[in-house]
Amino acid sequence: MPGMQQGLVISHNQVNRDMFELEFIAPEIAEECQPGQFIHIKPGLRDQPLLRRPLSIYDVDKRLGSVTLLYKVVGTGTRLLTSVRTKEYVDVMGPLGRGFKLPDQPERILLVGGGVGIAPLVYLARVLEEQGCDITVLHGTESRRQLVAFEKLRQIGTDFFPATMDGTAGYKGLVTELLLKKIEPKKLDRIYTCGPEPMMAVVAEFAANHNIEAEVSLEEYMACGVGACLGCARKLKTNDTQYVKVCKDGPVFNIKEVELYK
Amino acid sequence: MKKEMEISREIDISTDLGGIKLNNPVCAASGTFGYGREYEPYVDISKIGAVIVKGTTLEPRAGNPPPRIIETASGMLNAIGLENPGINEFLNTHLPYLRENNVTVIANIAGNTIEEYAAIAEMIEGNPGVAGIELNISCPNVKQGGLQFGTDPQMVYEVVKAVKEKTTLPVMPKLSPNVTDIVEIARASEAGGADALSMINTLMGMAVDINTRKPFLANIFGGLSGPAIKPVALRMIYQVYREVKLPILGGGGIVNYRDALEFLMVGATAISVGTGIFINPQLTEEIVSNLLHYMQENNVASLSELVGAAHQA
């Protein structure tokens, strides 16, 4: 069951110009975390900003009872969050949402991340690796400075291939170009992706063309995070009469079900 | 924990909201607490004063297209569009769950016509486990060119009267603040036979996405809630308390017990928390516990000493 806790911050590092890695101790939450789920965190103690922010679970250390979040500063909430220091507490709820569906047996897996969308794929890679999967990761960013998960993914034991727009690391250009050029679909059993929607739309087409199982992790503005306020609605291709809620029915969906914004 | 129990034995915070008996005055506002289930991991839902369930219509509704919500300064806008599974699903699926969990339930109902409100009230009648009915009158009346029920005193009078004729339960319209004279609407509710008033619903507002240069919400307009609207809610309850004798369920931006006290002092018999629950799912029980401490420290023996206190010269 998800819970609400004050998480003791044990590390909080700026990893590039606008991205931060926040690790806190919250054993009950850590124990429950599944890849693809999220933590609903309250930046600051006051009314401005008012709401919690949903952040992807980047990594989990169940022995230590810690959860790590990777976030990008995009507005007042995340900017305020950057001021939290080690030994202070963060108000966290979670883990929330429906995470990635894991394979029943070891498979050949492709992870495609765009920008900060790499976050949920890192903890996913850790769990898949423990299951004996063979994992390839493609990560697309503006520049090499945003390839923040490189160390973790290498330690986990994935085959890591970056794509940068400025060519400062790996393939020069879009990660989707790298996908189409480099990846042999016949050698894949399953794909997981998270990032900008136009990127995920290309992944969806690739998966559909080659008949590969794939899942996406979506992002929407949220208020409650638990399916009560019905704010984070999204229409699925498979359901014409009802909206799903990204917080509760997702954030992970089968890629075939989702109409991605191109 | 032991201390809290001792206090609660000395101080009585049970209350009566126009015939709706509440063990404590802190309720969860409609649309912010689903049908109770969603918050079960975080709070003992049976201990909430009352859970006012998601607004329910005769037929299921899909709601508005996204985006449906956006945060604004000390508040948020929502345009959910009354997404709900319809009254039958509520009675068959959600009400039994709430009953089994001993939750005090206030049903919130909405309709396109006066007949629809009456029909829903009639369907609820006789189902055990509903303590009262809150009327969402911030809906467009399709027979009156889409004019909102809640903005016209005559329509308010008629819808309250029609529902009262079909139910034995206490009826409490939820007043819209988007009117010129809130007292006039409160009087119309009283004349129609309302047992209590719920105040206030959200304030209509909007936000623009400066990148796309378009309204942020797909519905263009949305209802503003959260601490931003608290002063407006307090002012309206203060005005109505002076002119209308009905008990008031007061809410609008309550995020702590000090806010709750302000609402009691302007004249609310009980209070509702809504947007505050999104930030803190345990807000209802936290307010109850802090209210008890406040009352003990200030030698307040009963809630009635606080209700309307701000009106005394």
Side-chain angles (χ1 to χ4, degrees), chain A residues 47-51, chain B residues 70-77 206-207 223-225 228:
Chain A
D47 299 342
Q48 183 63 14
L50 183 65
L51 299 173
Chain B
I70 181 71
E71 184 167 339
T72 56
S74 296
M76 63 178 280
L77 290 165
M206 74 177 287
L224 179 63
S225 66

Side-chain angles (χ1 to χ4, degrees), chain A residues 5-260:
Chain A
Q5 259 186 282
Q6 294 296 315
L8 174 66
V9 176
I10 55 171
S11 80
H12 193 183
N13 300 315
Q14 183 161 10
V15 291
N16 62 34
R17 191 169 51 81
D18 56 5
M19 284 164 79
F20 290 77
E21 220 180 282
L22 171 70
E23 184 175 14
F24 61 86
I25 302 277
E28 285 108 73
I29 290 177
E31 190 52 42
E32 297 279 322
C33 286
Q34 302 291 326
Q37 289 187 298
F38 66 93
I39 299 290
H40 219 20
I41 188 165
K42 175 73 177 87
L45 299 168
R46 302 193 170 275
D47 299 342
Q48 183 63 14
L50 183 65
L51 299 173
R52 290 174 180 270
R53 298 292 186 266
L55 297 178
S56 290
I57 295 166
Y58 180 44
D59 210 352
V60 179
D61 185 336
K62 293 198 177 177
R63 267 194 318 186
L64 190 61
S66 78
V67 179
T68 306
L69 308 172
L70 175 72
Y71 67 94
K72 183 175 170 178
V73 176
V74 291
T76 34
T78 39
R79 193 171 305 119
L80 185 60
L81 193 57
T82 64
S83 62
V84 175
R85 292 183 201 165
T86 306
K87 292 184 188 162
E88 291 182 338
Y89 287 87
V90 280
D91 181 350
V92 283
M93 258 173 90
L96 299 177
R98 199 187 65 90
F100 295 108
K101 189 168 166 253
L102 302 175
D104 299 329
Q105 58 198 37
E107 285 183 357
R108 295 163 301 175
I109 307 279
L110 175 68
L111 308 180
V112 185
V116 72
I118 196 70
L121 303 180
V122 170
Y123 182 46
L124 174 65
R126 189 177 294 289
V127 172
L128 290 173
E129 178 65 28
E130 283 163 11
Q131 292 191 350
C133 290
D134 180 19
I135 309 161
T136 303
V137 183
L138 305 184
H139 187 196
T141 62
E142 280 300 318
S143 178
R144 68 188 305 245
R145 286 180 193 284
Q146 282 99 44
L147 295 167
V148 294
F150 166 69
E151 270 301 314
K152 271 186 187 283
L153 288 166
R154 200 181 50 86
Q155 280 169 6
I156 289 168
T158 66
D159 286 325
F160 181 82
F161 301 97
T164 53
M165 292 309 289
D166 65 3
T168 46
Y171 177 82
K172 185 178 181 193
L174 291 167
V175 72
T176 46
E177 294 164 12
L178 180 62
L179 165 73
L180 300 176
K181 281 182 184 167
K182 180 172 181 69
I183 300 299
E184 286 183 56
K186 280 182 198 137
K187 293 185 179 170
L188 280 182
D189 300 311
R190 197 179 292 267
I191 305 174
Y192 300 96
T193 183
C194 181
E197 299 230 354
M199 180 204 87
M200 295 195 290
V202 176
V203 177
E205 215 180 311
F206 179 85
N209 288 344
H210 303 290
N211 202 18
I212 304 167
E213 278 293 308
E215 285 189 317
V216 284
S217 175
L218 300 183
E219 191 176 46
E220 280 293 335
Y221 283 99
M222 288 180 192
C224 74
V226 299
C229 75
L230 314 180
C232 56
R234 189 90 190 220
K235 203 136 221 174
L236 292 192
K237 287 179 190 167
T238 43
N239 191 337
D240 239 14
T241 57
Q242 268 185 317
Y243 290 99
V244 290
K245 307 306 162 313
V246 172
C247 73
K248 194 184 172 194
D249 304 310
V252 176
F253 295 92
N254 187 306
I255 210 159
K256 283 184 276 193
E257 294 180 338
V258 182
E259 196 84 59
L260 293 157

Side-chain angles (χ1 to χ4, degrees), chain B residues 123-144:
Chain B
M123 287 170 79
I124 292 172
E125 185 64 14
N127 280 282
V130 182
I133 296 177
E134 182 180 68
L135 301 180
N136 175 356
I137 53 172
S138 300
C139 311
N141 182 342
V142 295
K143 289 193 181 166
Q144 295 284 333

